[in-house]
Amino acid sequence: KAGVTQTPRYLIKTRGQQVTLSCSPISGHRSVSWYQQTPGQGLQFLFEYFSETQRNKGNFPGRFSGRQFSNSRSEMNVSTLELGDSALYLCASSLGFSGYTFGSGTRLTVV
Amino acid sequence: AQTVTQSQPEMSVQEAETVTLSCTYDTSESDYYLFWYKQPPSRQMILVIRQEAYKQQNATENRFSVNFQKAAKSFSLKISDSQLGDAAMYFCAYRSLQTSGSRLTFGEGTQLTVNP
């Protein structure tokens, strides 16, 4: 059974650019959530998608957005990148309440 | 809003010994899930153990067990017979059952070192 796949693994972008990260959940999982991990702020919830609808949103500026496709794959987009957006972005998929399977993350570096 | 606190930024243990990682949380809810996740250098968060708040019995998964004290809002993780492969960052997480959607609130993490 394939796990959660995040692409790309590493990304280097310049301030002001935009970036799109991808997450393919475990087959059959309809919920996909995104987290930002930084040394200073720890793990923070970005948003969650379920059946192509955003169901939950964290406290991030509007530059952070996402979407989910009919096959449950999800993308998150960050526009007008800032140095502070440098982080590990983790995606998790779940089937219900009981557990969340995480991908290996995308390491974004903004220079 | 719920908060999760891990007061031990770093812990170390000798191989084959037992170590306990602490976690406290603050919530006004009665129904929720608690998790311990492990994040090795590979970065992938791996579920270690899960506890449903309505269950009084402490969860156990092989060498990993929890001490869940609902009234005290405490959720500690005990690792028995520690192995070198247990070295990682450990995160405690909370998931409400009273709000829709999947949202985990994480603690700050505890870096566990296992000494041979």
Side-chain angles (χ1 to χ4, degrees):
Chain A
K1 186 175 181 181
V4 178
T5 303
Q6 289 188 249
T7 56
R9 288 269 292 174
Y10 300 91
L11 207 49
I12 300 175
K13 289 287 188 179
T14 304
R15 272 183 301 175
Q17 287 186 314
Q18 73 166 17
V19 66
T20 299
L21 312 182
S22 178
C23 173
S24 293
I26 289 174
S27 178
H29 286 195
R30 295 163 66 189
S31 168
V32 174
S33 50
W34 291 87
Y35 293 83
Q36 181 196 64
Q37 185 176 20
T38 60
Q41 299 298 317
L43 281 151
Q44 293 187 287
F45 173 78
L46 280 156
F47 31 64
E48 183 220 358
Y49 286 86
F50 183 85
S51 294
E52 302 179 63
T53 301
Q54 188 180 85
R55 188 162 68 170
N56 217 335
K57 190 177 190 307
N59 296 324
F60 278 81
R63 300 185 297 106
F64 292 81
S65 63
R67 59 177 175 169
Q68 187 179 34
F69 302 94
S70 58
N71 62 357
S72 292
R73 188 177 72 86
S74 177
E75 289 180 347
M76 68 162 281
N77 184 277
V78 188
S79 62
T80 319
L81 283 165
E82 300 176 359
L83 294 179
D85 297 332
S86 294
L88 178 66
Y89 289 89
L90 291 164
C91 163
S93 76
S94 66
L95 191 57
F97 297 133
S98 59
Y100 304 82
T101 304
F102 284 81
S104 296
T106 294
R107 171 76 68 187
L108 172 65
T109 302
V110 182
V111 298
Chain B
Q2 297 83 23
T3 58
V4 178
T5 302
Q6 294 177 249
S7 58
Q8 306 154 315
E10 297 177 346
M11 292 281 285
S12 64
V13 63
Q14 292 296 127
E15 199 175 359
E17 296 295 309
T18 296
V19 64
T20 299
L21 308 184
S22 300
C23 172
T24 58
Y25 58 95
D26 186 27
T27 184
S28 58
E29 301 173 346
S30 58
D31 295 324
Y32 48 87
Y33 274 83
L34 294 165
F35 304 87
W36 277 99
Y37 277 92
K38 165 185 175 181
Q39 188 179 39
S42 66
R43 306 177 334 199
Q44 184 171 16
M45 300 280 278
I46 301 166
L47 177 65
V48 175
I49 201 163
R50 171 184 66 238
Q51 175 79 44
E52 295 93 329
Y54 68 88
K55 289 187 177 179
Q56 293 186 342
Q57 186 173 5
N58 290 324
T60 300
E61 288 287 342
N62 301 314
R63 298 182 294 107
F64 299 88
S65 61
V66 298
N67 183 4
F68 173 50
Q69 302 288 328
K70 191 173 183 179
K73 296 178 184 175
S74 170
F75 183 61
S76 60
L77 174 70
K78 185 171 83 171
I79 306 175
S80 304
D81 185 25
S82 296
Q83 301 176 359
L84 295 177
D86 295 333
M89 182 72 87
Y90 286 80
F91 291 95
C92 176
Y94 174 102
R95 199 278 198 213
S96 169
L97 287 179
Q98 295 180 227
T99 57
S100 64
S102 301
R103 176 180 186 151
L104 293 173
T105 300
F106 287 91
E108 306 90 337
T110 297
Q111 181 68 53
L112 178 66
T113 301
V114 180
N115 301 307

